[in-house]
Amino acid sequence: MSQPPLATLRDPGVPARAGYTRVSAQALAGTARAVAAEIFGVDPSLVRAFLRDDAGYLALFIQLPVPLTDADGTARGTVLERVCEKRAGIGEQFTALTGSLVSRVDVRVTGIIDPAAVVRR
């Protein structure tokens, strides 16, 4: 038997309680690291993520090694072209998960890794 949504459990005559939810910078950086690792197909331990306030938005700085080939074993375009293509996906997925608006995503490639070391999904 499924539970009713929480909104229906509240008594309509009782006002909602005031409060706030705070998400730490460390949690947001960890989310950015996980998102970048998934998009590039690398182990999250190889990814470093930094956040900076950019006039109310978040600027993401990602450092990671990239595989020479995609997950399917093919190399489409140069490393630079593939990184630029995947960079936008980091900001979109990060915003979808956290609700934080991203002004920019900078990616620094720290090396090239063996495709055999890539995390397979």
Side-chain angles (χ1 to χ4, degrees):
M1 184 157 100
S2 67
Q3 296 285 335
L6 290 177
T8 61
L9 294 176
R10 195 176 55 144
D11 183 0
V14 177
R17 295 181 192 256
Y20 60 90
T21 301
R22 187 176 295 174
V23 179
S24 72
Q26 183 178 0
L28 291 172
T31 303
R33 185 173 51 251
V35 167
E38 181 180 330
I39 288 176
F40 281 93
V42 298
D43 190 293
S45 66
L46 299 174
V47 180
R48 296 182 71 196
F50 304 94
L51 307 172
R52 184 178 56 105
D53 178 47
D54 187 18
Y57 296 93
L58 282 179
L60 304 179
F61 298 94
I62 308 294
Q63 297 178 355
L64 75 165
V66 295
L68 279 177
T69 60
D70 289 333
D72 61 2
T74 60
R76 294 180 187 91
T78 66
V79 171
L80 180 61
E81 289 169 346
R82 288 186 289 130
V83 169
C84 288
E85 178 183 305
K86 293 179 180 186
R87 184 179 63 203
I90 294 172
E92 291 169 3
Q93 191 169 347
F94 181 84
T95 296
L97 289 171
T98 65
S100 299
L101 298 177
V102 176
S103 62
R104 64 182 297 141
V105 177
D106 294 330
V107 177
R108 175 175 284 174
V109 176
T110 59
I112 303 295
I113 59 173
D114 182 7
V118 174
V119 175
R120 301 288 178 200
R121 291 180 291 243

